[in-house]
Amino acid sequence: LGLRQRVREAFDLFPHAHHGVQMAHALLHERQPAPAQRALAILLAAVVMWITECWPLFMTSTLCVILTLVSYVFVGAEGQTLAPVDAVPLIYRALFPSSLPLVIAGFCISQAWSKYGVDVMIAMKVLQSSWFSRPSTFVIAVELICFFMSAWVSNIAAAVLTLTVIMPIIRDLPEGCRYSRTLLMAIALSGNVGGMTTQLASPQNALTVSLGDSSIGFIEFIAVSLPVCPVLLILGHLLTIAIFPPDIEKLPNLGSEAKATAIANASSS
């Protein structure tokens, strides 16, 4: 019933989108070349369909690819309009850049770690270590966990996991305690820095390095980020301690409840 209603709404809203495209075409008829007018028409139609959600969003994205291919919007080096057969390689390279396997690999690693509890196991082993039993060193453990996880899975997923594991500690802190803000600030900064370490850390990294005439390889990216990111992590830690210094002497117990909560959260996501 929902799909039928969406299809019916799509046909009802299609004339309005068509009129909007015709108005934009008439407005730029004398000012822009024909390929630019057709590209603008496709863009406006996509905006209308995207905002109104007159049909599923994946159909809008698929339709934009097809319209771009058959509307002769690509122009060659000498200014000639490219035929659809000649435009296919350009569209393929735009949709499937060389860095796309890295993005898929990052999602696969994240799902595998979440399925088998590897991320929770690593986090709990580090956070429950006697080396990080004091409030000041526990902040370092939280930053290292979030930083390491962010380098190999999505930095958003790493921040959510780290926050889930330490949530029992935050909940058991005294009312008005500043240490909760210390931990949250540490997660935010270490997640941001960890998101710059590898191309797997964030889809934006993998897509950005493939733009332009020359792409940056995985090893080249790490060679640039590894000397910089640890320094940024240290500076972020000093900034966190300076703004929100720990105001407790002993940590609440981080027991099996935190592990169970983290596993349940990972299973639900």
Side-chain angles (χ1 to χ4, degrees), residues 90-111:
L90 299 177
I91 297 178
Y92 183 83
R93 284 196 296 268
L95 293 178
F96 302 98
S98 59
S99 59
L100 183 62
L102 292 174
V103 179
I104 298 177
F107 286 124
C108 291
I109 293 175
S110 176
Q111 289 298 320

Side-chain angles (χ1 to χ4, degrees), residues 138-153:
F138 187 79
V139 176
I140 300 177
V142 170
E143 292 171 342
L144 292 177
I145 285 295
C146 191
F147 176 79
F148 176 78
M149 294 289 186
S150 298
W152 303 107
V153 298

Side-chain angles (χ1 to χ4, degrees), residues 171-221:
R171 185 190 59 201
D172 294 339
L173 290 174
E175 185 177 355
C177 181
R178 189 174 54 236
Y179 191 64
S180 59
R181 288 176 284 180
T182 307
L183 295 176
L184 294 177
M185 185 77 169
I187 292 176
L189 286 175
S190 58
N192 276 286
V193 176
M196 298 185 290
T197 51
T198 65
Q199 299 179 15
L200 300 176
S202 177
Q204 295 91 324
N205 295 349
L207 294 177
T208 303
V209 297
S210 63
L211 300 178
D213 298 333
S214 59
S215 60
I216 302 176
F218 187 80
I219 302 300
E220 298 174 345
F221 191 93

Side-chain angles (χ1 to χ4, degrees), residues 41-265:
I42 295 173
L43 174 61
L44 293 178
V47 169
V48 172
M49 290 184 290
W50 190 275
I51 294 177
T52 59
E53 296 185 7
C54 55
W55 51 18
L57 298 180
F58 74 90
M59 294 180 61
T60 300
S61 58
T62 304
L63 180 63
C64 290
V65 176
I66 298 175
L67 291 178
T68 305
L69 180 62
V70 300
S71 298
Y72 294 86
V73 299
F74 286 94
V75 180
E78 299 179 358
Q80 77 281 9
T81 304
L82 297 180
V85 177
D86 299 325
V88 168
L90 299 177
I91 297 178
Y92 183 83
R93 284 196 296 268
L95 293 178
F96 302 98
S98 59
S99 59
L100 183 62
L102 292 174
V103 179
I104 298 177
F107 286 124
C108 291
I109 293 175
S110 176
Q111 289 298 320
W113 284 20
S114 177
K115 180 179 180 179
Y116 295 102
V118 177
D119 46 6
V120 178
M121 180 183 64
I122 295 175
M124 295 302 298
K125 286 291 184 182
V126 175
L127 295 178
Q128 289 181 338
S129 174
S130 59
W131 290 82
F132 305 110
S133 58
R134 294 178 300 172
S136 57
T137 56
F138 187 79
V139 176
I140 300 177
V142 170
E143 292 171 342
L144 292 177
I145 285 295
C146 191
F147 176 79
F148 176 78
M149 294 289 186
S150 298
W152 303 107
V153 298
S154 171
N155 58 344
I156 298 177
V160 171
L161 171 69
T162 309
L163 180 60
T164 304
V165 172
I166 68 171
M167 187 57 68
I169 289 183
I170 297 179
R171 185 190 59 201
D172 294 339
L173 290 174
E175 185 177 355
C177 181
R178 189 174 54 236
Y179 191 64
S180 59
R181 288 176 284 180
T182 307
L183 295 176
L184 294 177
M185 185 77 169
I187 292 176
L189 286 175
S190 58
N192 276 286
V193 176
M196 298 185 290
T197 51
T198 65
Q199 299 179 15
L200 300 176
S202 177
Q204 295 91 324
N205 295 349
L207 294 177
T208 303
V209 297
S210 63
L211 300 178
D213 298 333
S214 59
S215 60
I216 302 176
F218 187 80
I219 302 300
E220 298 174 345
F221 191 93
I222 294 179
V224 175
S225 63
L226 280 186
V228 177
C229 289
V231 177
L232 295 178
L233 184 63
I234 295 174
L235 294 177
H237 172 73
L238 297 177
L239 179 64
T240 301
I241 297 300
I243 298 177
F244 302 112
D247 56 350
I248 60 175
E249 298 181 357
K250 185 179 180 180
L251 288 172
N253 184 27
L254 183 65
S256 58
E257 180 185 357
K259 184 176 181 180
T261 304
I263 294 176
N265 183 75

